[in-house]
Amino acid sequence: MNGPTAEGGKHGRTARGGRRGTSAEGRKLTRSFSWLALLGTLLVIAGIVGLIYTGVATLTSMLLFGWLLLIGGVVGLAHAIESRGTNYFWLGVVVAALNLAAGVVVIRHPEGTAEALTMFAALLFLTGGVFRLVGSVVVRGPQMGWTLLQGAFGLLLGLLVLFDWPHSSLYVLGTFFSLALLFDGLGLIAVGIGGRRIVSMVSDRLDAPGPATDSPPKAPEDGQK
């Protein structure tokens, strides 16, 4: 009797310890998903503020772009120095120097950089819209109507940006940057809330009481072999 009882108590303690470990892991996951949801909320707020103040968002995006170029140039230069003596050295130095120069120009002249990038974006919209329109008419695939709509929208957007240039550079890039922040934030909020719900459901199932394991096994009745 002592052997089975002790063994059953051991299994019960193991199960309770496993549940406690699972509960701790669940709390850690819940906190992680909560941080994701909080980060998403901050991004959504930043996106909404950027949509209200598009000029500030445009200058902010240009400054961030310039600093990213500078940091990338410094990292690339350090990597090139580490690989000196190889064929990659001079290519790495040239690329790093271009990144550093571009970063300095963007930081010193954010308005001019915004105008140039806005012109580039308008030309991309125009060429993309024209290619979609021509391609949908030539191919005539099953998605012809949708492709025509996309091409017409891209063409119209490119023309609107181009006709209002350079004044459009004050709000176009800031609007795109703010929309990217807004949608990224909404995605993080959805992941955070969904992850918290999944962890809560799994934790509830694992913490649900199962069959008793501490009770000793019943002795066989008389006459049964």
Side-chain angles (χ1 to χ4, degrees):
M1 293 295 292
N2 292 335
T5 305
E7 186 177 355
K10 182 178 179 181
H11 285 302
R13 289 192 297 271
T14 304
R16 287 193 295 270
R19 287 178 182 176
R20 284 196 296 269
T22 305
S23 179
E25 292 294 331
R27 286 194 295 270
K28 290 181 181 180
L29 287 175
T30 300
R31 284 195 296 268
S32 300
F33 284 118
S34 299
W35 282 110
L36 277 180
L38 178 60
L39 178 60
T41 303
L42 294 177
L43 290 180
V44 168
I45 294 174
I48 294 174
V49 173
L51 289 175
I52 297 174
Y53 302 101
T54 53
V56 177
T58 298
L59 293 179
T60 302
S61 62
M62 290 297 96
L63 292 176
L64 287 176
F65 181 56
W67 280 108
L68 286 176
L69 287 174
L70 279 179
I71 295 172
V74 172
V75 173
L77 185 61
H79 184 64
I81 293 175
E82 289 181 355
S83 61
R84 59 183 179 273
T86 63
N87 295 328
Y88 171 79
F89 174 71
W90 289 110
L91 178 61
V93 170
V94 171
V95 173
L98 290 176
N99 284 334
L100 290 172
V104 172
V105 171
V106 171
I107 292 174
R108 289 176 61 88
H109 306 284
E111 296 88 355
T113 305
E115 292 179 2
L117 290 179
T118 302
M119 173 66 74
F120 182 68
L123 294 177
L124 282 181
F125 289 139
L126 284 174
T127 54
V130 170
F131 275 111
R132 283 191 175 92
L133 288 174
V134 175
S136 62
V137 173
V138 172
V139 177
R140 296 181 180 273
Q143 302 294 330
M144 178 180 176
W146 179 249
T147 308
L148 279 173
L149 181 62
Q150 285 182 325
F153 180 76
L155 185 62
L156 179 62
L157 185 61
L159 290 174
L160 289 176
V161 173
L162 193 61
F163 288 158
D164 198 28
W165 189 84
H167 182 263
S168 59
S169 62
L170 297 177
Y171 58 86
V172 170
L173 298 178
T175 301
F176 291 161
F177 180 67
S178 302
L179 287 175
L181 289 178
L182 181 62
F183 287 117
D184 287 344
L186 291 175
L188 288 178
I189 290 175
V191 171
I193 295 176
R196 282 173 57 90
R197 289 180 179 176
I198 293 174
V199 171
S200 178
M201 292 171 57
V202 173
S203 298
D204 291 342
R205 287 193 176 186
L206 291 177
D207 292 339
T213 56
D214 293 341
S215 59
K218 295 182 180 180
E221 297 181 358
D222 296 337
Q224 294 182 355
K225 300 291 185 179

